Amino acid sequence: MKRMSLLALAAAFAAAAAAAQEPIAIGISIAQSPPGSVVQGVQVKDGVEIVKDMINAKGGVLGRPIKLIYEDNQGVPEKGRAATEKLITRDKVVAVTGGHQSSVCLAEIEVAHRYEVPYVNTNCWSDDVRKKGYAEVFNPGNYNTRVSMAMAETIGAMKVKRVIAFAENTDYGIGQAKLLAEFVKTKAPGTDFKYETLDRAGKDFTPAVLALRANPPDMVVTMMLPPAAYIFMNQLYEQGVAPSAKTWFYDGAGIADYPDFWQNVKDAGKYMISFGLYHPQMPQPALGKEVAAEYTKRTKNEPNRLIFQAADSLLLIVEAIRQAKSTDPKAITKQLASMKFEGVRGAFQFSSAREPAYAYQQWVDIPYVNFQLTDVNQPVSKANLIQGPGQPLAVDKLQKPK
Amino acid sequence: MLALDLLVNGLVFGLFYALMAVGLAMIFGVLKVVNFAHGEFYMVGAYTYVLVATRLGVPPWLALPMAAVAGAALGALVERLLMRPLYAGYGSWSIMKDEYAVVVTFGLSLLLINVVDKVVGPYPFRGPPLIETSRFALGPVMMNGQKLIAAGISIALLTGLALFIKRSLWGRQIQAVAQNRLGASLAGIDATRTTALIFAISGLLAALAGALLAPLINPSPDVGAFPAIKSYVIVVLGGMGSIWGAMVAALLLGVLESFFAVYVSYDYRDAFGLLILILVLIFRPQGLAGEKGREV
Amino acid sequence: MTGGAGNLWSNRLRTDFRAALAVVALLAVVPLFVQAPYTLGILVVSIYFALLALGWNLIAGFTGQFSLAPAAFAMLGAYATALLDFPLKAPLALGIPAAIVATALLGFALGRIVLRLKGPYVALTTLSFAEIARVVVYNSNAFTRGDQGLNVPSLMQSRVGYYYLFVAVLGATLVLLYLLMRGRAGRFWLAIRDDEIGAESRGINVVRYKTIAFALSCAICGLAGSLYGTFSQLVSPELGLLSQTGLVIAMVVIGGMGTLTGPVLGALLVYLASEWLREFGGIQLIVFSLAVIVFARFFRAGLWGIVARR
């Protein structure tokens, strides 16, 4: 307790001193209006805000506070390009981060590369972001190959015969579906795998679901984001296709921990198996637990991986500035490429390998889990963890509806 | 059986489309202009329902008529403030009539979308369903409770509308004004008030459609684009101005879309309707039931 | 000035043209005072919209065909250039003219489709065409990379150079439109707008002039889109969104429909205002849509119309 109040006092002095200095501007490009994923944008914002407050409370970095400048990219590549251009040329940010929708990231990294400003990719999964091989781009988040490989292994371990996957018709969805098809061939050779694309702006997917009803597969996989994901899930449930006694339901987009998930799907989410990047039972550094507690305090919700990814994104930039002792974008880029980092999800270093192309400046061994929701309104912390990080799948823990 | 499932699903959605489109058909029948803010009547109805039910705690069955009232009020307001110059004796307007209607309703659409976005927020909401049963079997077909009730209410409303137009005094006044505005007013009918009534009905129906579908299609500020485009297709397919044509066209579109999605492509399902619109205008411009000649 | 109504119209047109040129001249001297790349970039985008506005004004304001496809044609022009570059590595010297030709042909085809339609039917048909085009581009992942968009090379590295390119194209477009409007084509288009049946009965070849107007209007939009694609180095389906068309329409209505200066003025004002209003938290669309309604209802001549009438 005494240590806390001393810390608070020191923080107050440091904050006062830092306030007198010119703030360091960092650009955050997120979706704050449709057709972008606003839910994701809000979570990214929550994550970086917590870290910003923590850092500024300790006096900022290099004696200067950090300032976050937000731009709304609306989930549209063209707007992302314009937003990044504005952040770099007008607001003179030293780094850009926050990207959470793959097609937008792909447009934004072009701008970052052109102006040689570091870009920390918070949540764009598409391998293409890495494959471009731009020195300015850093990827502390998940990538499609990782998910697809993990999902293929799960499919293999569960020994399902027929799988039909539904992906949204975006770069992310189609990319993940194609990779999954490839990996299933090697990791689950006995499985028949097919995928369909659905319009992410669609409002009724019942015909697609009805086609399944005629000949139900053993597993339905989805790689879709809300709101289409919720509509699709509800219609799958309504027609009794999945989750059902015959058919598993496996989500590869990680939507189970979105704050509006249960409110939108209700019964349809029970028995859903989910690929996840965060589960409270995963080992987590003290800083991570601190951020988690602060998030719950601010929003009354449980944290999810977007919060942590966003937190790490900002921490990476700040740490690079501190280690490089400079706010010059090129120096930050250089530091990010080589430094060892311990953030809210663990310690890692960006890979410098150019082969395979998706590994470039990526946290290659990012931990993941698989879990199953066993009750309506169940928070992820209470969900049934069927695969911890680095462990084999506990097939016997899986439940099927009666 | 898949075909039966698709047929039922198509008819159910067709009913919803009909509810959305009929109001637009009426406006076109009378004013010969397209209301490009029609989708926003739907959106306002959906939001009224959702907000009243979730923020004010009003039970869903009560929120439904409140949404209807909101739609009617919006329709009447639009007519009074924006559409009246088209016919209430403003002489020089006749040449640029169509352009005015398109521009002003386009602007209104943008305005409504952005006001709602700013005031309520861009998150999609989920409307509370009228009945909690999310699935049950109806013969060989699986149904959602909300869908069934919504379909039932749609049938009731559409039938009610048809009877109203055919039998009631106001309905016949509407028919008269639609056929010949000048003649009707010479016969003593207040054409302006009748037009206001039509706009109110149009708003009411669209808003109810929005409210009924709110639990199925989570409303967001731009949700109006979806019913709007469907409505345009239906009104053209059915024959501009014909309410019967619109109803039949709506059912037809629902069924065709359902089958198209499965047997041709899921992605292009919504664009399919637009293709129908163009083809109809090229090859059978009067639609299924409308008047001949595309001269307005 | 003595003479009949014809002289009055040519006088008005000439004043209109001179005013538009004055605006272009003003734009041309901006870089002498402002060199910040971000500001010049904003102006480039507003000139892009000015070109779209001029294109739409030609088909709607001058010829009376209420098309809802200008943004879609900008998108098609941009993709024409991008597609030639992406798999075929065609140089931009080929890609940009190809965009003009492609959109002119498609515009011609669209013109023939809506030939016999009037009023809202034209709007509905062009709307469907625009949406279908956008959805097809979005979903043809194999060719267009879908929502990711395509990367386009740049014509030049210099921001100032790009700025002058756009200003030059704007000027050239205005000159072209002025020459056409001053001559027979312009009079025929106006006649078609004001009274199509009457025009036909007076022997005007309505079919030919309508389709020419469509082709030219769409070509202007296509050129604008193609140039913009090389400027932003990214073409994506969002270029063709209906809301973009809505923005263009708003610009022309506010600026003054049926003139040359109106669209240019409207585009510049609306786009610059929208940048400025962004500071106040995204109310720009509310402001513009209100402005559109108010102008359409009470100030049908638009800003330029009010100024010109003095």
Side-chain angles (χ1 to χ4, degrees):
Chain A
M1 281 298 107
K2 184 156 181 245
R3 196 164 141 252
M4 279 292 281
S5 59
L6 262 178
L7 204 61
L9 203 62
F13 273 114
Q21 292 270 27
E22 171 84 21
I24 303 176
I26 298 176
I28 318 279
S29 171
I30 51 176
Q32 291 176 305
S33 52
S37 172
V38 178
V39 174
Q40 284 187 336
V42 166
Q43 291 172 74
V44 170
K45 184 168 179 190
D46 286 341
V48 293
E49 281 288 318
I50 292 177
V51 167
K52 177 198 82 171
D53 290 340
M54 279 174 149
I55 303 233
N56 282 345
K58 297 202 186 102
V61 64
L62 300 183
R64 297 162 64 181
I66 54 176
K67 184 171 83 158
L68 300 178
I69 304 187
Y70 293 93
E71 279 296 319
D72 178 10
N73 61 43
Q74 298 191 299
V76 167
E78 165 57 31
K79 298 257 178 346
R81 180 205 67 80
T84 312
E85 171 118 13
K86 174 171 182 284
L87 285 168
I88 294 178
T89 60
R90 211 188 74 162
D91 300 312
K92 306 271 187 280
V93 298
V94 304
V96 178
T97 183
H100 56 92
Q101 293 193 258
S102 289
S103 48
V104 181
C105 271
L106 281 161
E108 293 181 336
I109 59 175
E110 296 292 331
V111 181
H113 177 60
R114 204 183 323 152
Y115 289 101
E116 294 180 299
V117 168
Y119 184 92
V120 180
N121 166 14
T122 302
N123 187 51
C124 294
W125 292 9
S126 167
D127 285 358
D128 289 333
V129 176
R130 290 88 180 155
K131 284 183 179 166
K132 289 255 171 167
Y134 289 157
E136 294 80 12
V137 178
F138 297 93
N139 309 286
N142 188 33
Y143 52 109
N144 271 346
T145 297
R146 186 85 167 150
V147 189
S148 302
M149 203 167 4
M151 288 180 78
E153 282 172 0
T154 307
I155 292 175
M158 288 173 67
K159 295 196 176 39
V160 281
K161 289 275 168 306
R162 257 180 76 228
V163 177
I164 300 191
F166 290 91
E168 61 171 37
N169 60 350
T170 62
D171 182 61
Y172 148 67
I174 298 176
Q176 196 177 345
K178 281 194 180 145
L179 280 167
L180 186 53
E182 279 303 310
F183 281 118
V184 161
K185 285 197 198 127
T186 49
K187 308 245 178 217
T191 304
D192 172 33
F193 178 87
K194 214 168 60 114
Y195 75 88
E196 302 277 356
T197 49
L198 294 174
D199 183 5
R200 76 166 168 173
K203 307 278 186 263
D204 174 48
F205 303 109
T206 319
V209 174
L210 287 172
L212 290 179
R213 194 157 99 91
N215 186 9
D218 300 302
M219 177 189 270
V220 170
V221 172
T222 52
M223 289 165 279
M224 293 168 71
L225 289 177
Y230 297 153
I231 298 179
F232 186 60
M233 279 181 68
N234 283 324
Q235 288 169 347
L236 268 176
Y237 176 76
E238 166 195 319
Q239 294 298 325
V241 171
S244 69
K246 160 99 171 111
T247 311
W248 297 102
F249 179 56
Y250 189 12
D251 168 57
I255 58 175
D257 52 12
Y258 279 33
D260 62 346
F261 175 75
W262 283 114
Q263 179 218 355
N264 275 290
V265 303
K266 307 236 176 59
D267 292 320
K270 188 169 169 187
Y271 297 116
M272 176 173 103
I273 306 173
S274 176
F275 170 90
L277 291 155
Y278 169 69
H279 192 279
Q281 287 178 34
M282 284 166 86
Q284 194 177 32
L287 185 61
K289 295 205 205 298
E290 215 179 303
V291 167
E294 181 64 26
Y295 178 76
T296 306
K297 193 170 97 175
R298 289 186 185 196
T299 65
K300 314 272 182 292
N301 281 328
E302 281 196 0
N304 62 26
R305 43 109 181 170
L306 269 177
I307 311 292
F308 297 120
Q309 281 166 219
D312 266 345
S313 300
L314 187 56
L315 277 169
L316 275 163
I317 296 172
V318 167
E319 192 52 36
I321 294 176
R322 176 172 299 141
Q323 288 189 19
K325 297 200 189 5
S326 155
T327 57
D328 172 47
K330 293 207 189 68
I332 301 177
T333 304
K334 199 147 161 283
Q335 197 62 37
L336 280 168
S338 58
M339 71 185 199
K340 288 191 177 28
F341 174 75
E342 167 137 14
V344 300
R345 296 170 297 157
F348 64 92
Q349 201 173 1
F350 289 117
S351 146
S352 52
R354 293 263 180 186
E355 278 303 315
Y358 62 74
Y360 184 61
Q361 297 197 156
Q362 165 72 46
W363 178 7
V364 181
D365 293 317
I366 185 170
Y368 64 87
V369 295
N370 277 298
F371 58 86
Q372 184 180 31
L373 300 168
T374 50
D375 217 344
V376 183
N377 289 326
Q378 186 179 60
V380 171
S381 53
K382 296 216 179 26
N384 195 5
L385 187 68
I386 52 171
Q387 181 177 24
Q391 290 168 2
L393 192 78
V395 184
D396 48 308
K397 277 194 180 174
L398 287 165
Q399 296 175 28
K400 243 182 176 164
K402 310 295 172 288
Chain B
M1 195 185 79
L2 181 59
L4 180 66
D5 282 332
L6 289 175
L7 184 65
V8 169
N9 184 60
L11 286 173
V12 167
F13 263 88
L15 277 172
F16 301 148
Y17 291 164
L19 202 62
M20 292 173 205
V22 142
L24 193 66
M26 287 176 75
I27 290 182
F28 190 78
V30 169
L31 277 186
K32 311 281 187 264
V33 295
V34 174
N35 173 15
F36 276 89
H38 186 70
E40 277 56 59
F41 288 178
Y42 171 100
M43 187 261 290
V44 165
Y47 266 94
T48 308
Y49 174 79
V50 169
L51 289 175
V52 153
T54 54
R55 299 270 173 89
L56 299 181
V58 173
W61 283 101
L62 203 55
L64 210 54
M66 288 175 81
V69 167
L74 182 63
L77 203 65
V78 167
E79 189 276 328
R80 178 75 189 77
L81 291 179
L82 296 178
M83 301 314 253
R84 206 157 277 199
L86 281 177
Y87 46 86
Y90 295 58
S92 66
W93 284 68
S94 50
I95 29 162
M96 292 296 215
K97 185 168 85 142
D98 306 314
E99 155 226 308
Y100 170 78
V102 179
V103 170
V104 106
T105 50
F106 218 87
L108 180 66
S109 157
L110 266 178
L111 179 66
L112 287 171
I113 294 177
N114 285 287
V115 165
V116 169
D117 180 273
K118 259 275 147 295
V119 167
V120 182
Y123 281 95
F125 271 84
R126 200 206 187 183
L130 293 168
I131 183 171
E132 279 297 334
T133 325
S134 49
R135 73 173 171 198
F136 65 95
L138 193 70
V141 175
M142 292 296 286
M143 254 298 172
N144 172 297
Q146 176 72 18
K147 257 194 200 169
L148 189 64
I149 295 187
I153 296 182
S154 303
I155 295 179
L157 279 170
L158 290 168
T159 318
L161 180 74
L163 287 173
F164 173 76
I165 302 269
K166 260 215 128 60
R167 302 284 169 81
S168 79
L169 181 63
W170 280 348
R172 275 177 287 165
Q173 287 184 341
I174 291 177
Q175 288 184 59
V177 172
Q179 280 176 17
N180 186 332
R181 188 178 200 91
L182 185 59
S185 52
L186 283 176
I189 296 175
D190 185 345
T192 308
R193 209 174 45 177
T194 313
T195 313
L197 179 64
I198 292 174
F199 262 91
I201 295 179
S202 173
L204 187 148
L205 290 173
L208 264 178
L212 284 173
L213 289 182
L216 300 168
I217 297 174
N218 307 355
S220 57
D222 59 353
V223 76
F226 157 70
I229 305 247
K230 301 285 179 221
S231 300
Y232 303 149
V233 174
I234 288 165
V235 166
V236 166
L237 180 58
M240 294 278 228
S242 164
I243 298 184
W244 290 111
M247 292 198 209
V248 170
L251 292 172
L252 191 59
L253 183 69
V255 173
L256 283 175
E257 273 188 355
S258 232
F259 279 90
F260 179 88
V262 171
Y263 291 112
V264 181
S265 155
Y266 297 127
D267 290 333
Y268 287 100
R269 178 204 177 156
D270 287 332
F272 173 61
L274 295 168
L275 188 62
I276 292 182
L277 187 150
I278 293 187
L279 290 175
V280 167
L281 280 175
I282 298 179
F283 295 114
R284 194 189 157 87
Q286 70 270 36
L288 294 172
E291 72 270 4
K292 265 227 181 298
R294 301 279 79 170
E295 306 297 311
V296 177
Chain C
M1 290 273 164
T2 54
N7 267 358
L8 198 56
W9 159 248
S10 1
N11 290 345
R12 280 221 307 271
L13 187 62
R14 195 168 41 220
T15 321
D16 187 10
F17 178 58
R18 288 195 183 141
L21 281 185
V23 173
V24 174
L26 257 170
L27 284 172
V29 300
V30 162
L32 296 177
F33 303 101
V34 181
Q35 278 99 26
Y38 183 66
T39 316
L40 287 181
I42 303 257
L43 285 169
V44 165
V45 180
S46 53
I47 297 178
Y48 160 72
F49 277 107
L51 286 168
L52 290 188
L54 282 173
W56 187 74
N57 180 63
L58 170 62
I59 195 66
F62 287 143
T63 317
Q65 307 299 301
F66 211 86
S67 160
L68 288 176
F73 276 93
M75 176 192 75
L76 288 171
Y79 268 91
T81 307
L83 283 171
L84 280 177
D85 167 76
F86 179 50
L88 300 175
K89 293 272 168 278
L92 288 175
L94 205 63
I96 297 179
I100 302 178
V101 169
T103 46
L105 286 173
L106 283 168
F108 183 83
L110 184 61
R112 296 222 64 122
I113 292 177
V114 305
L115 213 45
R116 298 263 163 257
L117 306 175
K118 281 193 68 77
Y121 296 107
V122 175
L124 287 177
T125 314
T126 50
L127 186 157
S128 310
F129 183 91
E131 276 294 283
I132 292 178
R134 190 183 60 82
V135 168
V136 166
V137 165
Y138 186 93
N139 280 310
S140 309
N141 239 282
F143 296 111
T144 64
R145 297 204 325 194
D147 72 323
Q148 207 183 317
L150 291 168
N151 288 120
V152 191
S154 185
L155 274 172
M156 62 189 89
Q157 288 308 329
S158 148
R159 180 58 59 96
V160 178
Y162 244 110
Y163 180 79
Y164 276 117
L165 173 66
F166 270 78
V167 173
V169 171
L170 181 65
T173 309
L174 279 167
V175 168
L176 174 68
L177 287 172
Y178 173 63
L179 291 174
L180 284 171
M181 289 310 295
R182 194 176 63 169
R184 210 160 56 147
R187 264 180 264 256
F188 286 178
W189 284 330
L190 292 173
I192 294 173
R193 176 191 74 183
D194 293 338
D195 181 357
E196 187 167 328
I197 300 176
E200 185 129 36
S201 69
R202 293 203 314 270
I204 296 177
N205 190 338
V206 171
V207 172
R208 178 194 299 174
Y209 281 92
K210 256 198 199 177
T211 41
I212 291 179
F214 258 100
L216 185 57
S217 161
C218 295
I220 295 176
C221 294
L223 172 63
S226 169
L227 286 175
Y228 180 73
T230 65
F231 170 71
S232 72
Q233 293 186 266
L234 170 76
V235 310
S236 65
E238 284 74 28
L239 283 171
L241 275 174
L242 222 49
S243 54
Q244 294 283 88
T245 294
L247 198 55
V248 172
I249 295 178
M251 290 167 171
V252 177
V253 168
I254 293 175
M257 234 168 121
T259 65
L260 290 171
T261 313
V264 177
L265 215 55
L268 290 171
L269 283 173
V270 168
Y271 195 73
L272 292 173
S274 108
E275 274 301 307
W276 179 66
L277 282 172
R278 252 150 71 116
E279 311 295 311
F280 300 101
I283 55 163
Q284 64 265 33
L285 282 171
I286 298 180
V287 172
F288 293 139
S289 40
L290 266 174
V292 167
I293 296 175
V294 166
F295 272 86
R297 178 83 176 72
F298 299 112
F299 305 112
R300 311 205 61 224
L303 284 172
W304 171 244
I306 298 174
V307 167
R309 218 164 284 170
R310 220 150 296 118

